[in-house]
Amino acid sequence: MLLRNHFEEAVVLGRGTWLLAGTITVVCMMLVGPSGPSDALFARSLPAEADKDVVPNRVMTWNICNPCDESNVDRAAELASYAPQVIGLQEACVRDVERIRDYLKSLHGLVYHVEYGPVLQHWGRCGGVPWNPGGFGQAVLSAAPMTDPVLVEYPDGGSEDRGYLAVTTTVAGQPVRLYNTHLAQRRQEAVRADQTRVLAADAARYDRAILLGDFNAVPDAPELSRIWAQATDTDPECRPSSTGGCQVTTDWQSKFDYVFLRGIAPLEHHVRPTPYSDHHLLYTDLDPA
């Protein structure tokens, strides 16, 4: 009888242990967020590459698509294949950018400084817990140090909070003010017009500026007129009046992504489709002169 009682107690204890372990696992998944578990799995299966250097004066913009449930290991590998000096990311969760930056260093030997520009806290997009959700917005990775970071939320974000992140860094051998933005969604032209008014007014204060990001508008859209008045796109064939000369940057065959230059000359312009987002990677090499 005594032996039976000990056995029953052990069974109850074992069940309690499994229940506790299961509860802890669920809580950990909530804290890590949607894209976390697969990242660690992929990271263990990938060999580390030899150290490599960034490509000087190469600037990239990429809307990484959220929520798209993509692995940050794959995102990091995609970025590393082009190794730009400066990377502007949109639709980015702070936690995802942290992991991408870690993988760029540990798996590809690429070391970046980082500045975050979250414009809202969003559990559904970025994980975390309901009372402390992850930050969502823009981020800038730069091989050179960055100073004077400023995060500006537009007075009207449209259907979702939007803004821009501005930093000063060194590109093409000289200081430059860099803006990373994501304008209001499609069919919100009036909202984007107000947003570009804010962005263009600040960029006009600098002789050398780069304005990159997802502008959610085609080149001849009226709301981009203030940006065109201050800068030119790195694609030499793409201007507001051009007909069919602009390379598309999205899976739905529109050009929404730009690297606008003010006081800086481009050398080469590239658009690269990627399986990891509905936006293509867009990068440009700048003239160091």
Side-chain angles (χ1 to χ4, degrees), residues 42-286:
F42 286 126
R44 288 195 297 269
S45 65
L46 289 176
E49 294 181 355
D51 286 357
K52 60 190 295 187
D53 295 326
V54 300
V55 179
N57 311 321
R58 176 169 290 178
V59 176
M60 173 183 284
T61 182
W62 189 23
N63 182 323
I64 61 176
C65 185
N66 182 301
C68 283
D69 196 28
E70 297 293 344
S71 163
N72 290 316
V73 172
D74 292 333
R75 289 167 170 163
E78 194 81 335
L79 293 168
S81 64
Y82 305 104
Q85 179 186 335
V86 176
I87 305 168
L89 300 176
Q90 304 89 44
E91 295 196 15
C93 296
V94 171
R95 186 181 292 108
D96 285 332
V97 177
E98 289 172 344
R99 291 171 180 156
I100 290 170
R101 183 183 178 219
D102 287 345
Y103 294 142
L104 284 168
K105 180 179 180 180
S106 63
L107 299 179
H108 306 284
L110 296 169
V111 179
Y112 289 96
H113 303 270
V114 63
E115 290 290 345
Y116 300 103
V119 291
L120 73 155
Q121 305 299 309
H122 201 293
W123 181 38
R125 285 185 182 270
C126 297
V129 290
W131 56 91
N132 187 25
F136 174 81
Q138 288 76 245
V140 173
L141 301 174
S142 173
M146 294 177 281
T147 60
D148 305 316
V150 174
L151 173 61
V152 174
E153 289 192 41
Y154 294 123
D156 183 1
S159 55
E160 183 178 74
D161 292 350
R162 294 292 164 92
Y164 69 78
L165 172 65
V167 300
T168 297
T169 189
T170 301
V171 180
Q174 298 186 53
V176 62
R177 193 64 172 169
L178 180 110
Y179 297 83
N180 181 15
T181 192
H182 187 190
L183 300 187
Q185 295 174 354
R186 287 176 285 180
R187 296 181 293 278
Q188 300 181 60
E189 293 84 356
V191 176
R192 288 197 298 273
D194 289 339
Q195 293 172 349
T196 56
R197 183 182 296 108
V198 173
L199 179 61
D202 197 75
R205 301 189 298 120
Y206 298 91
D207 293 332
R208 292 171 51 83
I210 300 173
L211 299 85
L212 57 78
D214 177 2
F215 287 73
N216 266 321
V218 295
D220 61 352
E223 61 265 32
L224 293 188
S225 60
R226 290 183 179 86
I227 303 298
W228 286 112
Q230 300 290 342
T232 57
D233 186 42
T234 58
D235 183 350
E237 302 299 322
C238 188
R239 297 294 180 264
S241 58
S242 61
T243 56
C246 301
Q247 287 183 272
V248 300
T249 65
T250 65
D251 287 352
W252 54 92
Q253 301 300 304
S254 294
K255 178 176 171 65
F256 278 6
D257 305 89
Y258 300 81
V259 176
F260 287 107
L261 302 177
R262 175 177 170 85
I264 309 169
L267 287 178
E268 295 183 1
H269 169 85
H270 303 272
V271 176
R272 296 289 184 260
T274 167
Y276 306 117
S277 175
D278 54 357
H279 285 254
H280 307 340
L281 297 98
L282 186 159
Y283 71 89
T284 185
D285 294 330
L286 304 180

Side-chain angles (χ1 to χ4, degrees), residues 24-34 37 127-128:
I24 292 173
T25 300
V26 171
V27 171
C28 288
M29 290 178 69
M30 289 176 63
L31 291 172
V32 168

